[in-house]
Amino acid sequence: MAQTLSDAASPPKPARSSGAAAGPALRRLFLVGTPNVGKSVLFNALTGSYAVVSNYPGTTVEVARGRATLGGEEWEVVDTPGMYSLRPITEEERVARDLLVSDGGAIVHVVDAKNLPRHLAMTLELAQLGRPLVLVCNLMDEACRAGVSVDFQVLSRKLGFPVVTMVATRGEGLAGLKAVLATLAGPPRLPLSLSPALAAAHAKVLAGLGGRPDAGFWALRHLEGDPAATTVAPVAERGRAEALRGLPDGRSSSVAAAVAADLRLQAAGLLEGAFSESGSGGRRLQDRLDAILLGPWLGFPILAAVLYVGLYLFVGVFGGQTLVGFLENDVFVGRVNPFLEWLFARLLPWPVWRSLFVGDFGIFTLGFRYAIALILPIVGTFFLAFSVLEDTGYLPRLAMMLNRAFQGIGLNGRAVIPLILGFGCDTMATMVTRVLESRRERLIATFLLALAIPCSAQIGLILGLLAGHPGALLIWAGAVLGIFLAAGTLMARLMPGERAPFFMELPPLRWPSLKNVASKTVSRMGWYLWEVVPLFVAASVLLWLGTVTGLFPRVVALVEPAVRFLGLPAQAAPAFLFGFFRRDYGAAGLYDLQKAGALSGVQLAVACVTLTLFLPCVAQFLMMKKERGWRVTLLMSGAIFAVALGAGWALDRLLVWAGWTL
């Protein structure tokens, strides 16, 4: 059963920090922890549905904020991005650290109780910030099954601040945590246990920081050479240099490693008598399952099965055929579109203006129909499948398994998440590249997503196109995969910068929670509707303007020479032009040409390869601009255009020279 213990001492409460621009000041509470420890579940439990998600200033990292009533007072609760250390590597970790140090407020450090020995070192660092602190040992149900026990009373007495044990998904321990927070007192007084040389150096830097409540934290950062320390908590360079001279090896990397080692030793000492592992059968079963999922002999066949069932059967067949067929034919074509055309015929007697809303390129009959009837079912089923995999704990294991393979293309296993998301929606996947550690990796992943990762809607249409041409299907898959690997390898060699280190906490394997899966799926589909639907509307308006002004036929005429260059008929030009607005719409244009008998097997293979590699759709293009800026987006788009045309031309020449008919 979840339990709590509050510190017996009652120093003065911390000063309130400013909250909203208007109204009374709010006490602030920061939730801190690594990914997959239930931090967001706790945030939702504290704040309910009153949460606002916004970008942290100057970044694309989203931060969730909400309100909670604790002890009769209203608090602002901030769900910080996941972080493994207070020495940031990724942009998300930097944002989390900046949030913590930029303003006062209490801190709740949420940890996985099973992995407490690994997490407690960061708790010791958080204690140096001089702020009220609570340690939440979550996932106690899984800890018990794994043979782990935590004596929260002993641990709290040693630490000197409250410890709460919880099962956040079931609400166990939530009332106790709220009671602790309502009476939360001053900061802990937990001294660091450092080696003599480090302790002496730390004391010298501390002396130069005056009486700052967070002096202990910034003194460590000064010793480790953190550039943020010189800005936030400046100290005389002479004093810092003298402190470093007292160390056997004063290099920043060596100091950071020594500090980390000392913190781990102190954490181990604090856990003596408070933490035990019995090595139960549950843990052994977990290890055996990990060996299967991470090993190449069974790991890759399992991955193939997951992709076949999750991506092809559930997303492609059920989402892309059954749901799309129902929404497209029965709902929109059968009912919604006829009603809207009847309505606008009476509201707008002018055909030109009426065609802005209904008709071939109308906002409602094209933009909303495409977004809701054609794309939302496919993207929605993908988000559902992705949420199930995420909740089971399989994705981090997939990242570990593919880490070595990804190193050849300049990425590491963490890139699995955005690349897999790309098979659902490249626009959202481009946004998710922010989880990657370095700018170099984010650039490589963004380029590969735009170049060679077809979204689920495009895959479904291309598979339908090539179903009757198995040879063309194999050529398409081989060409796209080969170009993906070649482009990634070339970028890894040419782009400056070191490969980012790869580390990932493996959460326990568990049965997916229906509540968690539903919450994640609804949240992501809400993002889709909010972020992407306006882009579909904008694309419809652009198409309408091009048609009304006569610009569209002229642009098609400009595209025709490039299409002939690929060995394709001129009628294929509109498909490539439409492909910029929506890749799947371009594939639909090829489908019409194939039905009309205008494409041979070779032309069909060339067209599918070129269209897959073609420019990102307008939604993805705008997301790339948002994440990477105009200059990078335009350079990438130019390179992708050249690669697509070059690959299509080379494939056409090769197939014609070989005499293949497909």
Side-chain angles (χ1 to χ4, degrees), residues 128-159:
Q128 304 309 306
L129 285 169
R131 309 250 287 281
L133 178 63
V134 179
L135 176 64
V136 170
C137 297
N138 193 27
L139 304 172
M140 283 301 299
D141 53 340
E142 296 177 358
C144 291
R145 289 196 295 270
V148 170
S149 64
V150 179
D151 190 326
F152 74 101
Q153 293 179 323
V154 172
L155 183 58
S156 181
R157 187 168 58 249
K158 286 186 172 185
L159 292 172

PDB file of all heavy atoms in Angstrom, residues 128-159:
ATOM      1  N   GLN A 128      20.440  20.318  -3.731  1.00  0.00           N
ATOM      2  CA  GLN A 128      21.377  21.436  -3.634  1.00  0.00           C
ATOM      3  C   GLN A 128      20.791  22.742  -4.173  1.00  0.00           C
ATOM      4  O   GLN A 128      21.436  23.790  -4.084  1.00  0.00           O
ATOM      5  CB  GLN A 128      22.666  21.096  -4.391  1.00  0.00           C
ATOM      6  CG  GLN A 128      23.346  19.812  -3.944  1.00  0.00           C
ATOM      7  CD  GLN A 128      23.559  19.761  -2.442  1.00  0.00           C
ATOM      8  OE1 GLN A 128      24.148  20.669  -1.872  1.00  0.00           O
ATOM      9  NE2 GLN A 128      23.074  18.701  -1.809  1.00  0.00           N
ATOM     10  N   LEU A 129      19.592  22.682  -4.759  1.00  0.00           N
ATOM     11  CA  LEU A 129      18.960  23.899  -5.277  1.00  0.00           C
ATOM     12  C   LEU A 129      18.365  24.758  -4.165  1.00  0.00           C
ATOM     13  O   LEU A 129      17.912  25.878  -4.422  1.00  0.00           O
ATOM     14  CB  LEU A 129      17.873  23.540  -6.289  1.00  0.00           C
ATOM     15  CG  LEU A 129      18.366  23.088  -7.665  1.00  0.00           C
ATOM     16  CD1 LEU A 129      17.230  22.497  -8.487  1.00  0.00           C
ATOM     17  CD2 LEU A 129      19.001  24.256  -8.411  1.00  0.00           C
ATOM     18  N   GLY A 130      18.325  24.219  -2.949  1.00  0.00           N
ATOM     19  CA  GLY A 130      17.820  25.014  -1.842  1.00  0.00           C
ATOM     20  C   GLY A 130      16.341  25.278  -1.909  1.00  0.00           C
ATOM     21  O   GLY A 130      15.869  26.351  -1.524  1.00  0.00           O
ATOM     22  N   ARG A 131      15.594  24.314  -2.392  1.00  0.00           N
ATOM     23  CA  ARG A 131      14.146  24.469  -2.549  1.00  0.00           C
ATOM     24  C   ARG A 131      13.445  23.301  -1.853  1.00  0.00           C
ATOM     25  O   ARG A 131      14.014  22.203  -1.734  1.00  0.00           O
ATOM     26  CB  ARG A 131      13.792  24.464  -4.044  1.00  0.00           C
ATOM     27  CG  ARG A 131      14.633  25.444  -4.863  1.00  0.00           C
ATOM     28  CD  ARG A 131      13.836  26.575  -5.340  1.00  0.00           C
ATOM     29  NE  ARG A 131      12.966  26.118  -6.413  1.00  0.00           N
ATOM     30  CZ  ARG A 131      13.360  25.923  -7.693  1.00  0.00           C
ATOM     31  NH1 ARG A 131      14.618  26.155  -8.033  1.00  0.00           N
ATOM     32  NH2 ARG A 131      12.502  25.536  -8.594  1.00  0.00           N
ATOM     33  N   PRO A 132      12.205  23.493  -1.390  1.00  0.00           N
ATOM     34  CA  PRO A 132      11.454  22.374  -0.820  1.00  0.00           C
ATOM     35  C   PRO A 132      11.397  21.209  -1.814  1.00  0.00           C
ATOM     36  O   PRO A 132      11.143  21.416  -3.004  1.00  0.00           O
ATOM     37  CB  PRO A 132      10.067  22.969  -0.565  1.00  0.00           C
ATOM     38  CG  PRO A 132      10.305  24.440  -0.436  1.00  0.00           C
ATOM     39  CD  PRO A 132      11.443  24.753  -1.357  1.00  0.00           C
ATOM     40  N   LEU A 133      11.615  20.001  -1.312  1.00  0.00           N
ATOM     41  CA  LEU A 133      11.779  18.840  -2.190  1.00  0.00           C
ATOM     42  C   LEU A 133      11.012  17.652  -1.627  1.00  0.00           C
ATOM     43  O   LEU A 133      11.006  17.422  -0.411  1.00  0.00           O
ATOM     44  CB  LEU A 133      13.274  18.498  -2.306  1.00  0.00           C
ATOM     45  CG  LEU A 133      13.679  17.291  -3.145  1.00  0.00           C
ATOM     46  CD1 LEU A 133      13.296  17.478  -4.612  1.00  0.00           C
ATOM     47  CD2 LEU A 133      15.190  17.056  -3.028  1.00  0.00           C
ATOM     48  N   VAL A 134      10.369  16.919  -2.525  1.00  0.00           N
ATOM     49  CA  VAL A 134       9.687  15.667  -2.178  1.00  0.00           C
ATOM     50  C   VAL A 134      10.159  14.599  -3.149  1.00  0.00           C
ATOM     51  O   VAL A 134      10.243  14.850  -4.360  1.00  0.00           O
ATOM     52  CB  VAL A 134       8.151  15.804  -2.263  1.00  0.00           C
ATOM     53  CG1 VAL A 134       7.474  14.477  -1.919  1.00  0.00           C
ATOM     54  CG2 VAL A 134       7.647  16.905  -1.353  1.00  0.00           C
ATOM     55  N   LEU A 135      10.474  13.428  -2.639  1.00  0.00           N
ATOM     56  CA  LEU A 135      10.841  12.287  -3.477  1.00  0.00           C
ATOM     57  C   LEU A 135       9.640  11.356  -3.579  1.00  0.00           C
ATOM     58  O   LEU A 135       9.129  10.878  -2.550  1.00  0.00           O
ATOM     59  CB  LEU A 135      12.037  11.545  -2.882  1.00  0.00           C
ATOM     60  CG  LEU A 135      12.464  10.261  -3.602  1.00  0.00           C
ATOM     61  CD1 LEU A 135      12.939  10.565  -5.025  1.00  0.00           C
ATOM     62  CD2 LEU A 135      13.551   9.535  -2.829  1.00  0.00           C
ATOM     63  N   VAL A 136       9.164  11.114  -4.799  1.00  0.00           N
ATOM     64  CA  VAL A 136       8.038  10.216  -5.040  1.00  0.00           C
ATOM     65  C   VAL A 136       8.562   8.934  -5.667  1.00  0.00           C
ATOM     66  O   VAL A 136       9.092   8.946  -6.786  1.00  0.00           O
ATOM     67  CB  VAL A 136       6.990  10.868  -5.968  1.00  0.00           C
ATOM     68  CG1 VAL A 136       5.957   9.833  -6.403  1.00  0.00           C
ATOM     69  CG2 VAL A 136       6.296  12.016  -5.265  1.00  0.00           C
ATOM     70  N   CYS A 137       8.446   7.832  -4.938  1.00  0.00           N
ATOM     71  CA  CYS A 137       8.819   6.513  -5.461  1.00  0.00           C
ATOM     72  C   CYS A 137       7.565   5.907  -6.094  1.00  0.00           C
ATOM     73  O   CYS A 137       6.711   5.344  -5.389  1.00  0.00           O
ATOM     74  CB  CYS A 137       9.354   5.620  -4.348  1.00  0.00           C
ATOM     75  SG  CYS A 137      10.861   6.230  -3.588  1.00  0.00           S
ATOM     76  N   ASN A 138       7.456   6.031  -7.405  1.00  0.00           N
ATOM     77  CA  ASN A 138       6.264   5.584  -8.119  1.00  0.00           C
ATOM     78  C   ASN A 138       6.439   4.149  -8.608  1.00  0.00           C
ATOM     79  O   ASN A 138       7.516   3.567  -8.507  1.00  0.00           O
ATOM     80  CB  ASN A 138       6.001   6.536  -9.292  1.00  0.00           C
ATOM     81  CG  ASN A 138       4.628   6.343  -9.890  1.00  0.00           C
ATOM     82  OD1 ASN A 138       3.697   5.910  -9.209  1.00  0.00           O
ATOM     83  ND2 ASN A 138       4.474   6.640 -11.164  1.00  0.00           N
ATOM     84  N   LEU A 139       5.374   3.602  -9.155  1.00  0.00           N
ATOM     85  CA  LEU A 139       5.362   2.237  -9.708  1.00  0.00           C
ATOM     86  C   LEU A 139       5.689   1.197  -8.633  1.00  0.00           C
ATOM     87  O   LEU A 139       6.393   0.213  -8.879  1.00  0.00           O
ATOM     88  CB  LEU A 139       6.356   2.122 -10.878  1.00  0.00           C
ATOM     89  CG  LEU A 139       6.164   3.113 -12.023  1.00  0.00           C
ATOM     90  CD1 LEU A 139       7.315   3.017 -13.014  1.00  0.00           C
ATOM     91  CD2 LEU A 139       4.847   2.866 -12.727  1.00  0.00           C
ATOM     92  N   MET A 140       5.169   1.421  -7.431  1.00  0.00           N
ATOM     93  CA  MET A 140       5.458   0.495  -6.339  1.00  0.00           C
ATOM     94  C   MET A 140       4.851  -0.884  -6.586  1.00  0.00           C
ATOM     95  O   MET A 140       5.370  -1.889  -6.078  1.00  0.00           O
ATOM     96  CB  MET A 140       4.926   1.064  -5.024  1.00  0.00           C
ATOM     97  CG  MET A 140       5.794   2.163  -4.415  1.00  0.00           C
ATOM     98  SD  MET A 140       7.495   1.632  -4.072  1.00  0.00           S
ATOM     99  CE  MET A 140       7.215   0.308  -2.900  1.00  0.00           C
ATOM    100  N   ASP A 141       3.777  -0.966  -7.354  1.00  0.00           N
ATOM    101  CA  ASP A 141       3.205  -2.276  -7.658  1.00  0.00           C
ATOM    102  C   ASP A 141       4.179  -3.118  -8.466  1.00  0.00           C
ATOM    103  O   ASP A 141       4.380  -4.302  -8.197  1.00  0.00           O
ATOM    104  CB  ASP A 141       1.869  -2.118  -8.390  1.00  0.00           C
ATOM    105  CG  ASP A 141       1.970  -1.226  -9.626  1.00  0.00           C
ATOM    106  OD1 ASP A 141       2.941  -0.440  -9.726  1.00  0.00           O
ATOM    107  OD2 ASP A 141       1.096  -1.326 -10.508  1.00  0.00           O
ATOM    108  N   GLU A 142       4.822  -2.487  -9.464  1.00  0.00           N
ATOM    109  CA  GLU A 142       5.807  -3.213 -10.264  1.00  0.00           C
ATOM    110  C   GLU A 142       7.056  -3.513  -9.441  1.00  0.00           C
ATOM    111  O   GLU A 142       7.691  -4.558  -9.627  1.00  0.00           O
ATOM    112  CB  GLU A 142       6.163  -2.401 -11.506  1.00  0.00           C
ATOM    113  CG  GLU A 142       4.991  -2.205 -12.457  1.00  0.00           C
ATOM    114  CD  GLU A 142       5.340  -1.342 -13.652  1.00  0.00           C
ATOM    115  OE1 GLU A 142       6.499  -0.863 -13.715  1.00  0.00           O
ATOM    116  OE2 GLU A 142       4.471  -1.150 -14.518  1.00  0.00           O
ATOM    117  N   ALA A 143       7.402  -2.611  -8.542  1.00  0.00           N
ATOM    118  CA  ALA A 143       8.559  -2.851  -7.678  1.00  0.00           C
ATOM    119  C   ALA A 143       8.329  -4.075  -6.797  1.00  0.00           C
ATOM    120  O   ALA A 143       9.230  -4.910  -6.632  1.00  0.00           O
ATOM    121  CB  ALA A 143       8.839  -1.622  -6.824  1.00  0.00           C
ATOM    122  N   CYS A 144       7.125  -4.183  -6.251  1.00  0.00           N
ATOM    123  CA  CYS A 144       6.822  -5.348  -5.406  1.00  0.00           C
ATOM    124  C   CYS A 144       6.898  -6.639  -6.200  1.00  0.00           C
ATOM    125  O   CYS A 144       7.433  -7.644  -5.722  1.00  0.00           O
ATOM    126  CB  CYS A 144       5.445  -5.184  -4.773  1.00  0.00           C
ATOM    127  SG  CYS A 144       5.364  -3.862  -3.543  1.00  0.00           S
ATOM    128  N   ARG A 145       6.365  -6.617  -7.430  1.00  0.00           N
ATOM    129  CA  ARG A 145       6.426  -7.825  -8.257  1.00  0.00           C
ATOM    130  C   ARG A 145       7.857  -8.185  -8.622  1.00  0.00           C
ATOM    131  O   ARG A 145       8.169  -9.355  -8.847  1.00  0.00           O
ATOM    132  CB  ARG A 145       5.588  -7.637  -9.528  1.00  0.00           C
ATOM    133  CG  ARG A 145       4.087  -7.621  -9.283  1.00  0.00           C
ATOM    134  CD  ARG A 145       3.320  -7.831 -10.579  1.00  0.00           C
ATOM    135  NE  ARG A 145       3.522  -6.747 -11.506  1.00  0.00           N
ATOM    136  CZ  ARG A 145       2.760  -5.655 -11.566  1.00  0.00           C
ATOM    137  NH1 ARG A 145       1.750  -5.516 -10.719  1.00  0.00           N
ATOM    138  NH2 ARG A 145       2.989  -4.704 -12.453  1.00  0.00           N
ATOM    139  N   ALA A 146       8.720  -7.190  -8.691  1.00  0.00           N
ATOM    140  CA  ALA A 146      10.121  -7.439  -9.030  1.00  0.00           C
ATOM    141  C   ALA A 146      10.957  -7.763  -7.796  1.00  0.00           C
ATOM    142  O   ALA A 146      12.176  -7.920  -7.900  1.00  0.00           O
ATOM    143  CB  ALA A 146      10.711  -6.229  -9.749  1.00  0.00           C
ATOM    144  N   GLY A 147      10.330  -7.846  -6.629  1.00  0.00           N
ATOM    145  CA  GLY A 147      11.070  -8.183  -5.424  1.00  0.00           C
ATOM    146  C   GLY A 147      11.792  -7.013  -4.798  1.00  0.00           C
ATOM    147  O   GLY A 147      12.730  -7.204  -4.024  1.00  0.00           O
ATOM    148  N   VAL A 148      11.357  -5.790  -5.098  1.00  0.00           N
ATOM    149  CA  VAL A 148      11.982  -4.587  -4.561  1.00  0.00           C
ATOM    150  C   VAL A 148      11.118  -4.042  -3.425  1.00  0.00           C
ATOM    151  O   VAL A 148       9.898  -3.969  -3.546  1.00  0.00           O
ATOM    152  CB  VAL A 148      12.148  -3.510  -5.654  1.00  0.00           C
ATOM    153  CG1 VAL A 148      12.572  -2.175  -5.054  1.00  0.00           C
ATOM    154  CG2 VAL A 148      13.166  -3.965  -6.685  1.00  0.00           C
ATOM    155  N   SER A 149      11.756  -3.668  -2.322  1.00  0.00           N
ATOM    156  CA  SER A 149      11.039  -3.030  -1.222  1.00  0.00           C
ATOM    157  C   SER A 149      11.758  -1.756  -0.825  1.00  0.00           C
ATOM    158  O   SER A 149      12.984  -1.670  -0.885  1.00  0.00           O
ATOM    159  CB  SER A 149      10.927  -3.979  -0.017  1.00  0.00           C
ATOM    160  OG  SER A 149      12.218  -4.272   0.495  1.00  0.00           O
ATOM    161  N   VAL A 150      10.984  -0.743  -0.454  1.00  0.00           N
ATOM    162  CA  VAL A 150      11.518   0.560  -0.046  1.00  0.00           C
ATOM    163  C   VAL A 150      10.975   0.886   1.340  1.00  0.00           C
ATOM    164  O   VAL A 150       9.758   0.937   1.539  1.00  0.00           O
ATOM    165  CB  VAL A 150      11.121   1.667  -1.041  1.00  0.00           C
ATOM    166  CG1 VAL A 150      11.680   3.012  -0.583  1.00  0.00           C
ATOM    167  CG2 VAL A 150      11.601   1.341  -2.443  1.00  0.00           C
ATOM    168  N   ASP A 151      11.873   1.058   2.311  1.00  0.00           N
ATOM    169  CA  ASP A 151      11.480   1.511   3.643  1.00  0.00           C
ATOM    170  C   ASP A 151      11.481   3.035   3.615  1.00  0.00           C
ATOM    171  O   ASP A 151      12.508   3.686   3.814  1.00  0.00           O
ATOM    172  CB  ASP A 151      12.455   0.990   4.698  1.00  0.00           C
ATOM    173  CG  ASP A 151      11.941   1.226   6.118  1.00  0.00           C
ATOM    174  OD1 ASP A 151      11.265   2.257   6.331  1.00  0.00           O
ATOM    175  OD2 ASP A 151      12.221   0.403   7.003  1.00  0.00           O
ATOM    176  N   PHE A 152      10.325   3.607   3.347  1.00  0.00           N
ATOM    177  CA  PHE A 152      10.242   5.042   3.117  1.00  0.00           C
ATOM    178  C   PHE A 152      10.554   5.832   4.386  1.00  0.00           C
ATOM    179  O   PHE A 152      11.049   6.953   4.332  1.00  0.00           O
ATOM    180  CB  PHE A 152       8.866   5.406   2.561  1.00  0.00           C
ATOM    181  CG  PHE A 152       7.769   5.354   3.578  1.00  0.00           C
ATOM    182  CD1 PHE A 152       7.305   6.517   4.165  1.00  0.00           C
ATOM    183  CD2 PHE A 152       7.214   4.149   3.944  1.00  0.00           C
ATOM    184  CE1 PHE A 152       6.296   6.473   5.102  1.00  0.00           C
ATOM    185  CE2 PHE A 152       6.215   4.099   4.875  1.00  0.00           C
ATOM    186  CZ  PHE A 152       5.746   5.263   5.466  1.00  0.00           C
ATOM    187  N   GLN A 153      10.284   5.236   5.563  1.00  0.00           N
ATOM    188  CA  GLN A 153      10.564   5.949   6.808  1.00  0.00           C
ATOM    189  C   GLN A 153      12.068   6.108   7.019  1.00  0.00           C
ATOM    190  O   GLN A 153      12.557   7.190   7.355  1.00  0.00           O
ATOM    191  CB  GLN A 153       9.932   5.205   7.982  1.00  0.00           C
ATOM    192  CG  GLN A 153       8.404   5.221   7.940  1.00  0.00           C
ATOM    193  CD  GLN A 153       7.804   4.453   9.086  1.00  0.00           C
ATOM    194  OE1 GLN A 153       8.325   3.419   9.498  1.00  0.00           O
ATOM    195  NE2 GLN A 153       6.685   4.945   9.603  1.00  0.00           N
ATOM    196  N   VAL A 154      12.815   5.031   6.813  1.00  0.00           N
ATOM    197  CA  VAL A 154      14.269   5.095   6.968  1.00  0.00           C
ATOM    198  C   VAL A 154      14.867   6.043   5.939  1.00  0.00           C
ATOM    199  O   VAL A 154      15.730   6.884   6.259  1.00  0.00           O
ATOM    200  CB  VAL A 154      14.888   3.688   6.828  1.00  0.00           C
ATOM    201  CG1 VAL A 154      16.416   3.764   6.790  1.00  0.00           C
ATOM    202  CG2 VAL A 154      14.431   2.797   7.971  1.00  0.00           C
ATOM    203  N   LEU A 155      14.422   5.927   4.697  1.00  0.00           N
ATOM    204  CA  LEU A 155      14.980   6.764   3.636  1.00  0.00           C
ATOM    205  C   LEU A 155      14.675   8.237   3.890  1.00  0.00           C
ATOM    206  O   LEU A 155      15.550   9.106   3.714  1.00  0.00           O
ATOM    207  CB  LEU A 155      14.414   6.329   2.280  1.00  0.00           C
ATOM    208  CG  LEU A 155      14.960   7.063   1.054  1.00  0.00           C
ATOM    209  CD1 LEU A 155      16.468   6.928   0.955  1.00  0.00           C
ATOM    210  CD2 LEU A 155      14.298   6.539  -0.219  1.00  0.00           C
ATOM    211  N   SER A 156      13.451   8.563   4.302  1.00  0.00           N
ATOM    212  CA  SER A 156      13.094   9.948   4.563  1.00  0.00           C
ATOM    213  C   SER A 156      13.910  10.521   5.716  1.00  0.00           C
ATOM    214  O   SER A 156      14.348  11.675   5.675  1.00  0.00           O
ATOM    215  CB  SER A 156      11.600  10.058   4.871  1.00  0.00           C
ATOM    216  OG  SER A 156      11.240  11.400   5.101  1.00  0.00           O
ATOM    217  N   ARG A 157      14.145   9.712   6.743  1.00  0.00           N
ATOM    218  CA  ARG A 157      14.937  10.176   7.883  1.00  0.00           C
ATOM    219  C   ARG A 157      16.375  10.468   7.471  1.00  0.00           C
ATOM    220  O   ARG A 157      16.975  11.458   7.895  1.00  0.00           O
ATOM    221  CB  ARG A 157      14.909   9.127   8.994  1.00  0.00           C
ATOM    222  CG  ARG A 157      15.558   9.588  10.295  1.00  0.00           C
ATOM    223  CD  ARG A 157      15.249   8.655  11.445  1.00  0.00           C
ATOM    224  NE  ARG A 157      15.672   7.289  11.177  1.00  0.00           N
ATOM    225  CZ  ARG A 157      14.851   6.267  10.975  1.00  0.00           C
ATOM    226  NH1 ARG A 157      13.544   6.462  10.967  1.00  0.00           N
ATOM    227  NH2 ARG A 157      15.313   5.047  10.756  1.00  0.00           N
ATOM    228  N   LYS A 158      16.927   9.637   6.599  1.00  0.00           N
ATOM    229  CA  LYS A 158      18.302   9.853   6.137  1.00  0.00           C
ATOM    230  C   LYS A 158      18.406  11.073   5.226  1.00  0.00           C
ATOM    231  O   LYS A 158      19.375  11.834   5.302  1.00  0.00           O
ATOM    232  CB  LYS A 158      18.802   8.616   5.387  1.00  0.00           C
ATOM    233  CG  LYS A 158      19.134   7.430   6.279  1.00  0.00           C
ATOM    234  CD  LYS A 158      19.768   6.317   5.441  1.00  0.00           C
ATOM    235  CE  LYS A 158      20.305   5.197   6.316  1.00  0.00           C
ATOM    236  NZ  LYS A 158      21.031   4.186   5.527  1.00  0.00           N
ATOM    237  N   LEU A 159      17.417  11.244   4.359  1.00  0.00           N
ATOM    238  CA  LEU A 159      17.455  12.357   3.413  1.00  0.00           C
ATOM    239  C   LEU A 159      17.120  13.691   4.068  1.00  0.00           C
ATOM    240  O   LEU A 159      17.655  14.737   3.689  1.00  0.00           O
ATOM    241  CB  LEU A 159      16.474  12.103   2.260  1.00  0.00           C
ATOM    242  CG  LEU A 159      16.821  10.967   1.299  1.00  0.00           C
ATOM    243  CD1 LEU A 159      15.657  10.711   0.345  1.00  0.00           C
ATOM    244  CD2 LEU A 159      18.080  11.292   0.506  1.00  0.00           C
TER     245      LEU A 159
END
